[in-house]
Amino acid sequence: MSTPLTGKADGMESQLEIAVTAPGAKGFHIRGDVAERLLSVFSPLLLLLLWEFLVRTGLLDARFFPAPTGIVSTFWALVSSGELFNHLSASIVRLAVGFVMGATPGLMLGLIMGLSPMIRAAISPMIAATYPIPKIAILPLIMLIFGLGEMSKYVVIAIGVFFLVLINTIAGVVNIEKIYLDVGKNFGASRKNMYFTIAFPGALPLIFAGVRLAWGVALLLIVAAEFVGAKTGIGYLIWQSWQTFSVEAMYVGLVIISILGYVSSLILDELERILIPWKSLHLSA
Amino acid sequence: MQMPAAPTETKVSIEGLQKFFRTGHTKVIALDNVNLAIPDGQFVCIVGPSGCGKTTLLRILAGLETPSDGRITVVQGDKNKPVNSMIFQEQSVFPWMTVKDNIAYGLSMRGLDSKGKDEKVDYYVKKVGLSKFAKAYPHQLSGGMKQRVSVARAFANDPEILLMDEPFAALDEQNKILLQEELLRIWEETRKTVIFITHSIDEAIVLGDRVIVMTAHPGTIKADVKVEFARPRGVYELRAQPEFGKLAYEIWGLLRDEVLKAKREEGAE
């Protein structure tokens, strides 16, 4: 096997070497893993360094792209004055209240519509007609009705979250294998137990997918809502920085939003693992 | 253990049962004039060509479909017991519940207190050999183990009659034999009335006291064959007896015309 390859060009020899060491030779893979991890840590750092360098040499316009060091010092200033915490907590409270206000009715109506074809037939057209309206487009109407206070923020988030949780819950229940409902019926499950022991857990994987989507939409809506009618919040911080031309503070707001998004997705991952053990175990197996 | 008195008391009686489905303007008759009286404690197997309505019959008995005409009576000995529990075809075990919760399902739905429930559930978890997997989720189990959960769930519910809809059809031959043995072993303890649907003549003879042969569509009863092997039976040993072959031959003779008829109809449609 190896005889025809000896004496070939370098490239061929190294190919042969990989083929020989790869199976069972763990060292090769670990080195690859470490290299990948280092690369994924260092490449953003390198980009930041390059950014800093370009700003300092005047190649990048500092009015639009302030130096990372400048952003960091603004960040510390906002943290130590307590201002950043106020904005962040205001946004998180709005997100949480609005999310619960939207997800709860979305989940309940979704379960009912999922199990009852009659109710589904009656309500579906209205959902289909109102769902495509961009939620940002009705923000002015919501502010007209609920004023500039907290309630208008809760409501706009609640509406965005409601639709996504509702639609995913309906799909989750409708897609439950019919045999499970037969089992419930045959073993004497009450109406209440049909919801709690079959519809809800059976739909949970899809409900969770809806919750994920809804959270993303909630982040989008909170920023938009805080742009126009708020005196606190991350959206307000970004918008106000634009008005006062404090670009560094604007970048701080953007970074905070992205961290908020990232951390919440980690929390949702963990929550999914706890709430849907039959699914996550399956994935890890 | 004292055997129950000679099984003469009728447990289940089916009289003039008819079931039709409407699709558009056509009326499709699935079951026509089905009459059957089953004594208490009898293990009845029903065989028939596919599409003969045997599953529909069982679903009507299970309360999952309503009869179009006729009467079904199940004599209820104990008002606290559920009338029937079904062992479904594959994949009826809830993936979101542990083995133990699955087996406890019927008892939980009836609102039994946790002490009485645990005792019963533990007994059947052990009985079907899943003690080590009591807290496992179904996706961690093999097909045969899942079906054991389904068997245990029905027995734990302690119903008046047990309904089984081809419960072992999806299993491989070896697992099927093992599960048939286990089913008989568990059944011997309680000797409940069983109605067992299958398309396998072998399985019907091995398990049943009586094999009902159904006609092709529309389904009605063609023959009623007694199976008089002594119990407790050895699922495997039984097959070695010459009587077994004779019975299988006889039942296949009855079934063959119906299978061919069903096939012709399939082609005609």
Side-chain angles (χ1 to χ4, degrees):
Chain A
M1 211 7 226
S2 65
T3 33
L5 281 169
T6 50
K8 283 277 164 80
D10 282 5
M12 286 300 272
E13 270 179 40
S14 63
Q15 258 183 358
L16 181 71
E17 197 178 22
I18 290 168
V20 170
T21 51
K26 289 247 160 112
F28 183 80
H29 291 288
I30 287 169
R31 250 188 293 143
D33 279 0
V34 171
E36 272 173 35
R37 214 169 301 159
L38 285 177
L39 213 62
S40 64
V41 171
F42 279 108
S43 67
L45 278 178
L46 211 66
L47 188 72
L48 286 174
L49 271 176
L50 182 70
W51 181 357
E52 183 82 28
F53 172 77
L54 290 174
V55 174
R56 293 208 177 190
T57 52
L59 287 167
L60 208 58
D61 195 334
R63 288 175 305 170
F64 308 133
F65 306 103
T69 47
I71 297 170
V72 170
S73 64
T74 308
F75 175 80
W76 284 121
L78 285 169
V79 169
S80 51
S81 70
E83 207 186 329
L84 191 64
F85 177 77
N86 288 342
H87 290 309
L88 186 59
S89 59
S91 292
I92 287 176
V93 168
R94 286 168 190 151
L95 278 168
V97 174
F99 197 89
V100 171
M101 271 172 61
T104 312
L107 179 68
M108 295 201 299
L109 187 59
L111 290 175
I112 293 167
M113 285 175 71
L115 274 192
S116 163
M118 295 294 237
I119 297 174
R120 195 158 67 239
I123 302 181
S124 286
M126 287 177 261
I127 304 293
T130 49
Y131 171 60
I133 300 171
K135 306 306 165 284
I136 293 173
I138 52 169
L139 184 56
L141 179 65
I142 290 168
M143 289 198 295
L144 196 65
I145 299 169
F146 295 97
L148 289 175
E150 293 303 293
M151 190 47 87
S152 59
K153 279 90 190 162
Y154 300 156
V155 170
V156 72
I157 292 171
I159 290 173
V161 167
F162 170 78
F163 280 104
L164 287 169
V165 172
L166 174 69
I167 288 166
N168 274 273
T169 306
I170 296 171
V173 178
V174 169
N175 283 317
I176 293 174
E177 298 284 344
K178 223 190 137 288
I179 195 163
Y180 299 137
L181 301 174
D182 284 345
V183 174
K185 215 172 158 190
N186 183 247
F187 281 84
S190 61
R191 192 89 190 130
K192 188 188 108 206
N193 277 325
M194 286 297 249
Y195 283 108
F196 282 106
T197 66
I198 299 171
F200 178 66
L204 201 52
L206 264 179
I207 293 172
F208 216 85
V211 164
R212 262 175 207 287
L213 288 173
W215 186 255
V217 164
L219 281 175
L220 193 119
L221 290 171
I222 188 65
V223 172
E226 287 172 348
F227 274 181
V228 287
K231 286 280 169 270
T232 51
I234 299 299
Y236 170 76
L237 173 69
I238 294 169
W239 192 256
Q240 196 219 16
S241 311
W242 173 74
Q243 287 180 317
T244 59
F245 213 75
S246 40
V247 187
E248 278 141 355
M250 191 191 289
Y251 274 86
V252 171
L254 293 175
V255 171
I256 291 295
I257 283 285
S258 79
I259 291 174
L260 191 59
Y262 180 67
V263 170
S264 49
S265 95
L266 288 184
I267 293 172
L268 285 174
D269 282 346
E270 198 50 41
L271 215 62
E272 185 168 17
R273 225 194 310 276
I274 296 164
L275 289 176
I276 317 182
W278 65 95
K279 189 187 168 207
S280 53
L281 278 169
H282 182 66
L283 290 179
S284 69
Chain B
M1 202 177 88
Q2 203 195 330
M3 289 288 292
T8 44
E9 187 198 336
T10 302
K11 187 74 183 173
V12 184
S13 74
I14 301 169
E15 291 161 82
L17 183 71
Q18 196 193 41
K19 175 72 184 175
F20 53 80
F21 298 97
R22 282 184 201 283
T23 47
H25 291 292
T26 51
K27 188 166 120 178
V28 181
I29 299 174
L31 291 170
D32 198 19
N33 195 26
V34 175
N35 293 290
L36 191 61
I38 302 171
D40 194 14
Q42 195 171 53
F43 199 126
V44 179
C45 291
I46 299 178
V47 293
S50 48
C52 75
K54 53 190 192 292
T55 292
T56 306
L57 174 61
L58 204 69
R59 287 178 63 84
I60 292 172
L61 283 164
L64 299 172
E65 307 260 2
T66 48
S68 306
D69 197 11
R71 223 172 57 170
I72 293 174
T73 327
V74 177
V75 176
Q76 206 168 356
D78 185 345
K79 284 273 180 290
N80 294 320
K81 280 186 185 179
V83 177
N84 70 76
S85 294
M86 182 133 156
I87 301 175
F88 290 83
Q89 291 183 9
E90 53 167 343
Q91 301 300 355
S92 74
V93 170
F94 298 125
W96 50 85
M97 287 182 196
T98 60
V99 165
K100 207 176 154 176
D101 289 342
N102 261 295
I103 294 174
Y105 191 70
L107 303 174
S108 306
M109 292 306 101
R110 279 157 55 199
L112 240 73
D113 64 291
S114 63
K115 194 175 160 270
K117 196 168 76 181
D118 280 352
E119 229 167 76
K120 251 189 176 148
V121 171
D122 287 342
Y123 179 77
Y124 281 103
V125 168
K126 208 174 284 169
K127 207 84 217 160
V128 294
L130 288 174
S131 299
K132 276 188 195 156
F133 294 89
K135 292 209 170 84
Y137 284 94
H139 72 259
Q140 295 163 296
L141 309 179
S142 67
M145 287 155 96
K146 277 185 219 172
Q147 217 44 353
R148 284 183 174 86
V149 175
S150 187
V151 169
R153 176 171 66 188
F155 273 95
N157 203 27
D158 194 18
E160 295 279 343
I161 62 171
L162 281 160
L163 306 172
M164 311 190 188
D165 181 18
E166 302 199 37
F168 308 141
L171 300 177
D172 63 75
E173 199 58 32
Q174 290 119 25
N175 261 308
K176 195 185 279 186
I177 291 171
L178 288 179
L179 267 146
Q180 287 167 350
E181 271 173 1
E182 275 179 48
L183 176 64
L184 283 184
R185 195 164 44 77
I186 299 171
W187 177 77
E188 289 286 352
E189 291 177 3
T190 53
R191 293 256 178 158
K192 281 183 192 299
T193 311
V194 175
I195 301 171
F196 190 106
I197 301 283
T198 179
H199 61 254
S200 156
I201 297 172
D202 266 30
E203 188 169 63
I205 299 171
V206 161
L207 299 176
D209 296 313
R210 183 179 177 192
V211 178
I212 305 289
V213 181
M214 284 183 72
T215 61
H217 168 91
T220 186
I221 290 171
K222 176 169 186 169
D224 188 341
V225 182
K226 282 218 154 27
V227 183
E228 284 169 327
F229 293 112
R231 293 190 188 270
R233 293 177 184 170
V235 162
Y236 200 65
E237 291 74 16
L238 207 65
R239 289 183 162 88
Q241 297 195 21
E243 295 299 319
F244 181 90
K246 268 187 211 156
L247 257 179
Y249 181 77
E250 184 193 336
I251 294 170
W252 173 238
L254 290 162
L255 198 55
R256 191 171 177 276
D257 293 341
E258 301 305 323
V259 173
L260 290 174
K261 204 171 120 201
K263 227 177 159 178
R264 270 202 304 278
E265 270 178 21
E266 230 170 71
E269 266 168 33

